[in-house]
Amino acid sequence: MGHFWVNAKLINAMTAHEVKVTALVDTCAKFTIIPSWVHEKLNLKIIGRRKVETAEGEMELDESFALIEMEGKRAVTPVFISRELRDVLIGVLTLEALGLTVDPTTGKLKETRILLL
């Protein structure tokens, strides 16, 4: 399944500033990561800084939250801010918050139940 591109809208839930992007869905990534240019355009509030483990090793990233819209669904989700990435990367926590999953037969997103377990 792995990776594929989707159209997404990221919105600052406090100011309603928004940006439309083509985002990479990565079913192996837990969190959503946005590039610093998206953070700056949306003027998202930094709520903390966390140590994270990446393929390149440990690093510290700023943490915020954004309203994300994909496939007609909207959800507020935590995001990490990267100075290295160019594109938005959507992780599975965001997919779950949106009630979306990947259909393995088509490689596209489809609606699923939101489980509160």
Side-chain angles (χ1 to χ4, degrees):
M1 206 142 13
H3 307 88
F4 59 95
W5 297 91
V6 296
N7 292 322
K9 188 187 305 182
L10 285 84
I11 304 158
N12 181 326
M14 308 305 277
T15 66
H17 290 102
E18 64 181 55
V19 62
K20 292 180 181 178
V21 298
T22 301
L24 180 65
V25 171
D26 182 352
T27 59
C28 293
K30 189 168 282 204
F31 290 94
T32 293
I33 305 170
I34 63 170
S36 56
W37 71 266
V38 171
H39 164 256
E40 291 163 9
K41 184 158 183 145
L42 294 177
N43 194 29
L44 296 173
K45 179 181 172 98
I46 302 295
I47 60 171
R49 189 162 176 82
R50 289 223 183 144
K51 286 185 181 178
V52 298
E53 188 74 29
T54 72
E56 295 183 8
E58 189 177 281
M59 62 177 58
E60 284 194 22
L61 295 178
D62 288 330
E63 184 179 16
S64 187
F65 59 93
L67 179 62
I68 295 185
E69 183 178 311
M70 293 185 333
E71 304 288 323
K73 307 259 184 218
R74 297 176 121 197
V76 174
T77 187
V79 296
F80 287 104
I81 301 156
S82 170
R83 302 211 186 296
E84 285 80 31
L85 287 182
R86 282 187 333 204
D87 299 304
V88 173
L89 184 139
I90 305 291
V92 293
L93 291 178
T94 297
L95 292 178
E96 289 176 357
L98 290 165
L100 296 171
T101 189
V102 177
D103 182 337
T105 60
T106 64
K108 297 186 187 256
L109 295 174
K110 69 176 186 177
E111 190 171 346
T112 189
R113 296 183 308 157
I114 297 175
L115 300 174
L116 299 179
L117 304 174

